Structures are given as structure tokens and as C-alpha cells.
Amino acid sequence: QVQLVESGGGLVQPGGSLRLSCAASGSISRIYAMGWYRQAPGKQRELVADMPTGGRTTYADSVKGRFTISRDNAKNTVYLQMNSLKPEDTAVYYCYTNTLFTSWGQGTQVTVSS
């Protein structure tokens, strides 16, 4: 069992920044990738950023140049730095980790509104 605990969501004005964190714990043998999805009301869940271990990072086109994913492998933690936030970034953000299976965080709400 792998548990993921997210933090860092909240309400921010357009143009503002937030940093999400997600810490993995439990029976972790090897992490193949960590990343973030998001789901806005009435929309399908979409990939925001994926960071494979030793591989190339992938971003959704809508967040390129504004969001940055990073990992602290010693802490089994993934971060998402979100800058220049827009109202359309409003969603519940879910972190995930791929070990022998995929585990998900509980989700954290990000609301971008004036």
C-alpha cells in the first residue's frame, strides 16, 4: 500500500501562484513516475504534468511555461509550482505515483478567481 498526502491548494487571484506538494509513504519499492492530474467541474480528468524517474517530463499544452513539476526523491515527494494562474486552471488536482501499480492522492482544490 502506498499513501499519498497532498497539500497546498487554495484560492488565488488570476496571475497569482500556488505550490502543491504530494508526499508518498508506505510500501514503496521503486517509483517509476510521479505527476499530477486535474479535474474541473463537468470535465474529464486531464494530465497536467508527468515526471518519470530518469525520463523526460511531460506537460499539458495549457500549462507549459507556467507550471513546473519537480521531485525530491529522498522524500518521495512531488511538487507542482503553478505561476500565472488563470481561472481555467480551477480544478481539483490529484497527484499520483507509479510503482508496481498506480496510487492516487485525495485531491486538493485550486480555485483561481478575483
Side-chain angles (χ1 to χ4, degrees):
Q1 285 274 4
V2 177
Q3 295 80 40
L4 299 177
V5 178
E6 303 177 24
S7 61
L11 172 64
V12 64
Q13 292 186 343
S17 298
L18 282 175
R19 188 190 194 211
L20 306 183
S21 300
C22 174
S25 62
S27 301
I28 301 172
S29 55
R30 179 179 176 180
I31 294 178
Y32 294 96
M34 299 184 81
W36 297 88
Y37 272 74
R38 69 185 180 185
Q39 188 166 21
K43 295 187 177 181
Q44 290 187 331
R45 189 175 293 194
E46 64 170 348
L47 176 67
V48 176
D50 177 75
M51 193 170 193
T53 301
R56 177 172 293 196
T57 298
T58 301
Y59 292 98
D61 288 343
S62 58
V63 307
K64 284 180 181 177
R66 300 188 298 120
F67 290 12
T68 302
I69 188 172
S70 61
R71 285 170 56 177
D72 184 334
N73 293 326
K75 297 181 179 179
N76 291 329
T77 299
V78 62
Y79 304 95
L80 186 67
Q81 178 67 43
M82 305 185 293
N83 299 327
S84 302
L85 282 160
K86 304 175 181 181
E88 50 263 43
D89 294 317
T90 295
V92 178
Y93 285 70
Y94 299 90
C95 67
Y96 66 91
T97 183
N98 291 333
T99 55
L100 294 177
F101 44 85
T102 300
S103 301
W104 294 91
Q106 79 281 9
T108 185
Q109 177 69 45
V110 172
T111 302
V112 185
S113 176
S114 55

